[in-house]
Amino acid sequence: MSVAALSFPLSSYSSSNFRNSKSFKLPNATSQQISLDSSPPNKTPSSSQPFRKTGVIVVGAGLAGLAAATRLQSENIPFLLLEASDAVGGRVRTDFVDGFTLDRGFQIFITAYPEARKLLDYDSLNLQRFYSGAKVFYDGRFHTVADPLRHFSDALQSLMNPIGTVIDKLLIALTRIRVLSQSDYDILTADEVKTIDLLRRTGFSDSILDRFFRPFFGGIFFDRELGTTSRLFDFVFKCLALGENTLPKSGISAIPEQLAAKLNPNSILLNSRVVSIDCESEDGVTVNLENGDLLRSDLGVILAIEEFEAVKILAGKTGPGLVKMPVRSTVCLYFSVDSNRVPVKDPVLFLNGSGRGIVNNMFFATNVAPSYAPPGKALVSVSLIGLYDSVPDEELVERVMKELTDWFREGDVRSWRYLRMYRIGFAQPNQCPPTNLMKDPRVKPGLYICGDYVTSATFDGALVSGRRAVEALLKDRATVKV
């Protein structure tokens, strides 16, 4: 039977009478951090309380949930997209403070993500590009590592610098050829080892491992030990080879906002926290909201929330299983400075290759996207790996500024004004081997999971997982119809 037989008019269901819920709006300048509390509601709704129903309920309006909703809308299947927070985006959020654009944590968008290319309008995002390479702080000064296909002269000059040997730089070229010769599916299902073991087996020296790979890919995976699966390393390396590192002009939240803007606004309900799901009800799959509302799905529920929240909600049911620990955490600090006191004007990422200190990477965000600060000002973004939860904010700010006086002139760094700190306890799932980056999204017929923990811990993985969850639902419904 054709899947098209599952299509329904969007007007079949109404969400206008939901209590204490808000339809979709763009996040405003005062949006707050997302609460991760999944506490049960204070009161249990009466069993006689009527259900509100729709076709599919998607729980969570991060990238995975938005991708699922996008696919449902393309199939003309009615849905409700429930978000516990005050705006869409999940971990991909931006705040606006005193004219500054502050992404919640260090996030870079790689233009070669294959699923993103299908779903997003890059021109509308007005992507601002980084330099294809990095400046590595080692032995008291900066050394350039450059992509030879984009910055040949810089790469040629860097051949003899101490960030790896000439052989190391040849091995990078060979790694590029290797990953480009493989399909994404082959990469994500290949035999796996830890990334550090793959790099050592390839023949890379300790100098380039410690001075480049640990801070660069450690900053991507939030894992300086490089215990992350080689599958994820190869996928990201391939995307870096094919695309560019960028930031949307108006902040990283422009990505989920663009996806949400294409959806029926009445289908997105903010401030709507789900506390439980009943798959055994005679009324179909039912969803219990914190405010007491009960929702019923005629076709299925897609859980597009963080792995640890899915584990809580699905406790006692077959689901994603135990969360692999430790999860990946980070701290991001923002500073402002007068634009004429920025020591470097290039849109480049700075890496800590010294093996000392707490700073992993930093960059002058306004060198990449001038729109990230008001006129006459520049924005500095500094990232640490780990949560540093035992260190007070004031002490952490002081340690970061003191450390960076070794990188730049002390007078310049001391002129920076601290803006805000983001301690992100769950930045990424732990994807150390063994992994399954092609997980079946089906928990049971009518109940599905998606998120970057189901696929690869990337923007693209989240988008892919949302699509696959809908495809699994459609397949189950087609089987039932037959």
Side-chain angles (χ1 to χ4, degrees), residues 136-157:
V136 180
F137 183 73
Y138 172 73
D139 198 23
R141 58 187 292 259
F142 289 108
H143 306 273
T144 298
V145 176
D147 182 340
L149 296 185
R150 294 171 176 138
H151 306 291
F152 179 74
S153 61
D154 289 351
L156 194 62
Q157 293 176 34

Side-chain angles (χ1 to χ4, degrees), residues 175-244:
T175 299
R176 183 181 193 137
I177 293 170
R178 177 178 64 80
V179 298
L180 290 176
S181 68
Q182 300 178 71
S183 70
D184 293 341
Y185 178 83
D186 288 342
I187 286 174
L188 296 175
T189 58
D191 292 340
E192 64 177 338
V193 294
K194 295 179 180 179
T195 291
I196 188 64
D197 293 336
L198 171 68
L199 296 174
R200 284 175 173 152
R201 190 173 66 191
T202 302
F204 288 107
S205 69
D206 287 342
S207 63
I208 199 166
L209 291 177
D210 294 339
R211 299 167 197 170
F212 174 72
F213 282 108
R214 288 190 189 278
F216 185 76
F217 282 94
I220 293 173
F221 304 146
F222 303 111
D223 170 27
R224 277 191 69 102
E225 299 304 312
L226 300 182
T228 299
T229 174
S230 55
R231 293 169 174 168
L232 190 56
F233 170 82
D234 281 351
F235 177 71
V236 171
F237 199 101
K238 179 180 179 179
C239 291
L240 290 169
L242 292 172
E244 296 182 273

Side-chain angles (χ1 to χ4, degrees), residues 13-34:
Y13 301 90
S14 171
S15 61
S16 60
N17 60 348
F18 280 77
R19 296 184 286 109
N20 302 324
S21 297
K22 297 182 181 179
S23 295
F24 166 68
K25 64 180 180 179
L26 293 179
N28 57 39
T30 59
S31 60
Q32 299 299 310
Q33 287 280 18
I34 298 171

Side-chain angles (χ1 to χ4, degrees), residues 30-82:
T30 59
S31 60
Q32 299 299 310
Q33 287 280 18
I34 298 171
S35 170
L36 298 180
D37 178 31
S38 294
S39 303
N42 294 326
K43 61 179 182 177
T44 302
S46 167
S47 59
S48 62
Q49 182 175 345
F51 292 105
R52 281 88 172 169
K53 64 179 181 178
T54 187
V56 177
I57 297 172
V58 181
V59 182
L63 292 182
L66 289 165
T70 298
R71 181 59 189 272
L72 289 167
Q73 183 163 285
S74 73
E75 299 285 346
N76 202 28
I77 297 174
F79 65 89
L80 287 175
L81 177 57
L82 309 179

Side-chain angles (χ1 to χ4, degrees), residues 279-432:
C279 303
E280 311 302 329
S281 169
E282 294 180 358
D283 298 298
V285 182
T286 59
V287 173
N288 183 9
L289 298 186
E290 189 175 53
N291 65 9
D293 280 337
L294 292 175
L295 315 182
R296 190 186 85 183
S297 165
D298 285 343
L299 301 177
V301 172
I302 296 174
L303 275 182
I305 54 181
E306 307 290 15
E307 183 179 17
F308 57 87
E309 289 196 331
V311 168
K312 289 180 186 178
I313 288 179
L314 296 178
K317 306 177 179 69
T318 301
L322 297 176
V323 178
K324 186 181 292 186
M325 300 298 287
V327 296
R328 303 311 185 192
S329 304
T330 184
V331 180
C332 180
L333 302 91
Y334 285 106
F335 302 86
S336 72
V337 61
D338 292 341
S339 56
N340 61 2
R341 304 211 53 176
V342 174
V344 178
K345 302 300 182 183
D346 297 326
V348 66
L349 183 67
F350 294 87
L351 303 176
N352 185 357
S354 71
R356 300 187 302 274
I358 62 174
V359 173
N360 184 75
N361 57 275
M362 61 84 62
F363 71 112
F364 297 95
T366 38
N367 288 358
V368 179
S371 55
Y372 269 49
K377 294 293 183 180
L379 180 66
V380 186
S381 171
V382 182
S383 295
L384 321 180
I385 295 176
L387 201 54
Y388 293 88
D389 49 356
S390 64
V391 182
D393 287 0
E394 297 80 3
E395 181 180 340
L396 204 56
V397 170
E398 180 59 28
R399 288 175 63 179
V400 165
M401 293 186 71
K402 182 177 180 181
E403 186 173 326
L404 291 177
T405 60
D406 292 335
W407 294 31
F408 309 105
R409 289 191 301 252
E410 181 173 359
D412 286 341
V413 174
R414 288 300 171 185
S415 71
W416 296 1
R417 179 173 70 89
Y418 168 67
L419 289 174
R420 183 169 289 193
M421 179 185 303
Y422 293 91
R423 295 179 186 259
I424 303 171
F426 186 89
Q428 279 184 20
N430 181 324
Q431 292 200 323
C432 291

